[in-house]
Amino acid sequence: MAADRKKYGINTEAVHAGEARHTGNRPSAPDIVMSSTFVVDEEVSFSANNLTEDTPWMYTRWGNPTTRELEERLAVLENAEDCIAFASGMAATTALLFQVLGQGDHLVIANTNYPGTAEFARDTLMRYGVDVTPVNTNDLANVENAMRPETKLVWIETPSNPLLRIADIEGISKIAKAHGALLAVDSTFATPIATRPLDLGADFVVHSLTKAIGGHGDAMGGSVCGSKELMAPLRSEGLSHYGGVISPFNAWLILRGIATLPMRMQAHEQNAMALANFLEQHPRVDGVIYPGLASHSQHELAARQMDNFGGMISFRVADGKALAERMMQQLEVIHYAVSLGHHRSLVYRMLTDELALGSYALEGEELESYRALAGDGLFRFSVGIEDAEDLIADLDRVL
Ligand SMILES: *Cc1c(COP(=O)(O)O)cnc(C)c1O
């Protein structure tokens, strides 16, 4: 459920939302409260099941003042009633999937997405008695046809890894609702600057804060935002019992990162647009996928659903192995490394056999359409906020 929580403009909220009013020395920047336990002056239940909004600070696995500032800021940016921070994107993802799903339940999930999520759904959830149906979410009919009476959750990712597919959040949320299922959206590639999934009917929005939200490649974190009703059991069970809590120091670094998220996303988009155009015109490049390009097969949906096309580009060349080797040896500015959304540009080759056959276990038409776009591998390029001319020169040299 969406809640309009923004009192000020997005730039102001990114700097100030969730700020606690500090007493004592009254620091202007947030304090980092690293304490794992808190001195209490009243009787407090020792069970996380009895956690309420009024429970005082007790133990950092249940809640922490610095972490709370981060959660409040994320909730405001996502128009959510509440938000929970986790130790990583995967800690957020697995806590949510384990907490919502149980034996006999059914999950409908996008068939190309973050590999960790795909592998967890297939290898782990299936082992715990959850049935999983991966579908290509580009066609809403695939989602509709996969729904069953026991479908409890639909999980989508938009834009998705690494094909940059755009899932129609509003359309899929209607299907989920009609079947009494919840909808979770991994919105890591979009960030709340581009898309607010809860406003479009989603029940959960999931982020790897390690990526653009933290933005500097120096702190891991994850989050799930949604209604208070859905967040309460996720906090007591999914956070406190599963235990994937974020370090308050990382929460503080990510809070600091968020202050510049709106302007970084503008810079990411502007640079990505320039690089996507450069790559599309380059004779050595066989294909470029970027939601901001008119050539993207879902460009119209992207323009409707996203206020910012983001900084992620995927592209392919004829001899990807040789280019990857040149990149590792010869790139000067861009780092040949995984991860994404950082101020630094990062590029990494995602092998089709490893992803499409391994992580996604695609077959038949789905495998063919993956190969048609990705060939034997896609370079996933996270365009940073450096000068576009320097990024173009760096790539041009290795191409
Ligand atoms: C990185 C990523 C994750 C996992 O996040 P970690 O912080 O690495 O655990 C999940 N989903 C998407 C889309 C990601 O890019």
Side-chain angles (χ1 to χ4, degrees):
M1 198 199 340
D4 190 5
R5 297 206 42 187
K6 290 191 193 68
K7 189 170 160 199
Y8 303 108
I10 188 73
N11 294 292
T12 309
E13 295 290 14
V15 173
H16 290 288
E19 261 176 359
R21 289 275 166 252
H22 294 291
T23 52
N25 296 329
R26 305 191 64 219
S28 166
D31 266 338
I32 313 177
V33 180
M34 288 300 287
S35 189
S36 55
T37 191
F38 295 83
V39 178
V40 291
D41 53 10
E42 58 182 284
E43 200 69 22
V44 184
S45 164
F46 196 59
S47 165
N49 289 337
N50 299 326
L51 267 180
T52 71
E53 278 183 51
D54 303 321
T55 307
W57 302 122
M58 164 94 173
Y59 190 56
T60 281
R61 180 153 45 74
W62 296 7
N64 169 284
T66 310
T67 303
R68 189 62 198 154
E69 287 192 53
L70 171 63
E71 292 173 340
E72 283 284 328
R73 186 167 304 170
L74 290 168
V76 170
L77 295 183
E78 286 292 358
N79 283 335
E81 285 179 1
D82 200 4
C83 188
I84 303 173
F86 291 86
S88 68
M90 280 309 293
T93 297
T94 56
L96 178 57
L97 288 168
F98 266 147
Q99 198 271 315
V100 170
L101 296 164
Q103 192 172 22
D105 289 337
H106 177 234
L107 167 73
V108 173
I109 187 166
N111 69 351
T112 56
N113 55 3
Y114 187 70
T117 308
E119 290 163 11
F120 179 81
R122 212 187 48 233
D123 301 340
T124 314
L125 286 179
M126 301 272 258
R127 204 170 71 231
Y128 281 79
V130 175
D131 208 4
V132 179
T133 306
V135 296
N136 182 337
T137 55
N138 278 12
D139 187 349
L140 293 187
N142 293 336
V143 180
E144 175 68 46
N145 293 336
M147 301 299 289
R148 300 183 202 158
E150 62 276 18
T151 308
K152 194 130 180 226
L153 185 71
V154 178
W155 182 286
I156 61 177
E157 181 178 304
T158 180
S160 73
N161 182 77
L163 294 182
L164 301 172
R165 281 180 177 161
I166 312 297
D168 177 350
I169 299 170
E170 202 167 11
I172 294 171
S173 84
K174 284 183 184 144
I175 297 172
K177 264 191 196 75
H179 291 269
L182 296 166
L183 173 63
V185 180
D186 182 336
S187 193
T188 299
F189 279 32
T191 81
I193 303 308
T195 309
R196 270 83 45 212
L198 300 178
D199 290 350
L200 299 172
D203 299 286
F204 303 101
V205 52
V206 181
H207 284 290
S208 167
L209 305 175
T210 315
K211 314 295 169 55
I213 291 183
H216 296 74
D218 51 15
M220 299 204 72
S223 64
V224 181
C225 300
S227 67
K228 284 187 177 175
E229 191 189 344
L230 290 170
M231 291 300 104
L234 187 63
R235 191 179 291 281
S236 55
E237 188 180 19
L239 179 74
S240 301
H241 287 167
Y242 305 167
V245 288
I246 190 169
S247 157
F249 183 61
N250 280 11
W252 182 85
L253 283 170
I254 292 164
L255 263 174
R256 176 175 159 139
I258 294 176
T260 54
L261 179 64
M263 54 201 285
R264 281 189 285 109
M265 287 305 290
Q266 276 178 22
H268 284 303
E269 181 187 46
Q270 202 179 337
N271 277 355
M273 206 67 214
L275 269 293
N277 281 318
F278 161 76
L279 288 166
E280 203 165 46
Q281 282 153 26
H282 200 287
R284 295 284 311 270
V285 173
D286 291 341
V288 183
I289 312 174
Y290 180 62
L293 288 176
S295 60
H296 190 287
S297 63
Q298 297 170 294
H299 176 63
E300 266 173 49
L301 172 61
R304 183 151 41 93
Q305 187 168 282
M306 304 176 76
D307 295 336
N308 179 305
F309 292 117
M312 298 303 298
I313 299 175
S314 291
F315 68 94
R316 58 187 272 213
V317 301
D319 190 354
K321 189 168 170 17
L323 177 59
E325 275 161 19
R326 282 201 301 283
M327 283 179 165
M328 290 181 228
Q329 303 304 325
Q330 296 171 25
L331 283 175
E332 288 175 10
V333 177
I334 303 164
H335 287 189
Y336 192 82
V338 295
S339 204
L340 55 105
H342 302 172
H343 53 351
R344 288 178 199 89
S345 291
L346 306 170
V347 71
Y348 203 81
R349 184 164 178 249
M350 320 282 286
L351 297 175
T352 296
D353 281 357
E354 213 172 276
L355 267 192
L357 293 178
S359 304
Y360 306 147
L362 297 178
E363 295 170 352
E365 256 178 57
E366 284 300 315
L367 181 60
E368 275 169 42
S369 82
Y370 189 102
R371 276 203 196 284
L373 271 171
D376 62 357
L378 275 179
F379 287 89
R380 192 183 68 183
F381 183 14
S382 173
V383 184
I385 63 169
E386 304 97 332
D387 290 301
E389 309 83 78
D390 293 331
L391 300 177
I392 287 173
D394 213 20
L395 269 189
D396 199 26
R397 206 159 29 75
V398 293
L399 280 167

